Amino acid sequence: MGPYATIAAELVIGFAALFLYMKILGKAHFSKLTPFDFVSVLMLGELLGNAVYDKHVHIGHLLFATSLWGGLIWVIVTITTKFTSSRKPLEGEPTVIIRNGKLLYDAMKICRLDLNELQTMLRQAGYFSMDFVEFAVLETNGNLSVMPKSRYDKPTRTELGLPEQQVAMPVSLILDGELVRDNLKEAGVDEAWLRGRLRERGIAAYKDVFFAEWHGDDALYVATYDESQQQR
């Protein structure tokens, strides 16, 4: 086997092994990248890189190292799932940065978080002044969870004296000019209904639709290719 074929084979096998590794651990594990997860990703990348570019490392070595490292990660994930006492040392714990509207300097110092970083994270959460915040918690994945002061919080329908309103999860029906047939059943509509709504807007074919989304109560959001191009 030539050198290029060997590199290609190792890349494909490494990719397949990492893909399988992610499937085994589950989506929830990768939605929160803790410091431990970050180190795991670096190690797996290093193992794959060495296997591809080091002529003394063969495909068998790559599979063994990836399997062993993936197994260790799986053991750690299983332990933290079943034993709550293991989560703090292995995953860390959330840290309160703002409590009752007051900045906690010691907590920021422990987390090595400066004021500029905190302000950036607050703005990303939708709060442009620290005076708006009652509680702020730095999560184990580095995200900031914010609870605003009551006078700055959004009112609910109950507080406004409005009746409850049933909500529906939006469902994408057309993506890039192609009908997503499986989502028609999810939305509780059929193709005849969709074609009728499109005809009302002067649209004859799915291929003319860039994006269409059902919102419930027969409401349909439609964006055509012509509209999208005009916004450029």
Side-chain angles (χ1 to χ4, degrees):
M1 184 181 292
Y4 292 106
T6 302
I7 291 175
E10 290 175 343
L11 279 174
V12 170
I13 292 174
F15 175 81
L18 292 178
F19 182 78
L20 180 62
Y21 161 72
M22 289 188 292
K23 283 291 186 181
I24 292 173
L25 292 184
K27 293 184 288 186
H29 182 71
F30 286 91
S31 65
K32 51 180 185 62
L33 192 63
T34 64
F36 179 77
D37 298 325
F38 181 69
V39 172
S40 301
V41 171
L42 290 180
M43 284 295 298
L44 284 172
E46 183 69 15
L47 289 172
L48 180 58
N50 288 337
V52 171
Y53 297 108
D54 190 340
K55 62 176 67 176
H56 300 293
V57 178
H58 303 294
I59 294 177
H61 299 150
L62 170 63
L63 288 175
F64 173 76
T66 305
S67 301
L68 179 59
W69 188 255
L72 291 174
I73 301 301
W74 180 82
V75 169
I76 296 297
V77 171
T78 302
I79 291 174
T80 55
T81 301
K82 293 186 176 181
F83 304 101
T84 55
S85 59
S86 67
R87 295 173 188 171
K88 182 177 178 179
L90 292 176
E91 293 185 346
E93 61 179 350
T95 303
V96 179
I97 302 298
I98 300 177
R99 186 190 298 274
N100 298 322
K102 297 186 181 299
L103 279 168
L104 303 183
Y105 172 76
D106 289 339
M108 293 179 62
K109 187 176 180 180
I110 291 173
C111 295
R112 293 177 175 81
L113 181 69
D114 61 45
L115 285 172
N116 289 338
E117 289 176 320
L118 179 59
Q119 287 178 310
T120 298
M121 297 171 82
L122 287 173
R123 288 193 294 269
Q124 290 173 339
Y127 301 97
F128 283 73
S129 172
M130 291 190 194
D131 188 44
F132 295 172
V133 179
E134 187 73 17
F135 289 94
V137 179
L138 186 65
E139 306 292 354
T140 55
N141 63 355
N143 291 334
L144 191 71
S145 300
V146 180
M147 177 184 290
K149 294 179 179 178
S150 58
R151 62 179 179 270
Y152 298 116
D153 200 5
K154 297 177 182 178
T156 63
R157 296 183 66 87
T158 302
E159 292 171 336
L160 294 175
L162 299 175
E164 290 187 12
Q165 186 177 28
Q166 188 173 3
V167 296
M169 185 176 71
V171 178
S172 301
L173 299 181
I174 300 177
L175 296 173
D176 295 314
E178 295 185 4
L179 175 65
V180 186
R181 296 186 182 277
D182 292 340
N183 286 356
L184 288 173
K185 185 177 180 180
E186 172 109 13
V189 298
D190 55 23
E191 196 168 346
W193 174 89
L194 178 59
R195 287 185 179 276
R197 292 296 182 273
L198 293 177
R199 281 196 297 269
E200 292 174 0
R201 299 167 185 258
I203 302 172
Y206 297 141
K207 64 181 181 180
D208 298 325
V209 180
F210 181 48
F211 177 71
E213 184 178 68
W214 175 84
H215 283 271
D217 295 332
D218 287 346
L220 185 70
Y221 170 81
V222 178
T224 64
Y225 282 102
D226 291 338
E227 292 172 343
S228 301
Q229 291 171 353
Q230 289 172 1
Q231 296 297 321
R232 293 181 180 178

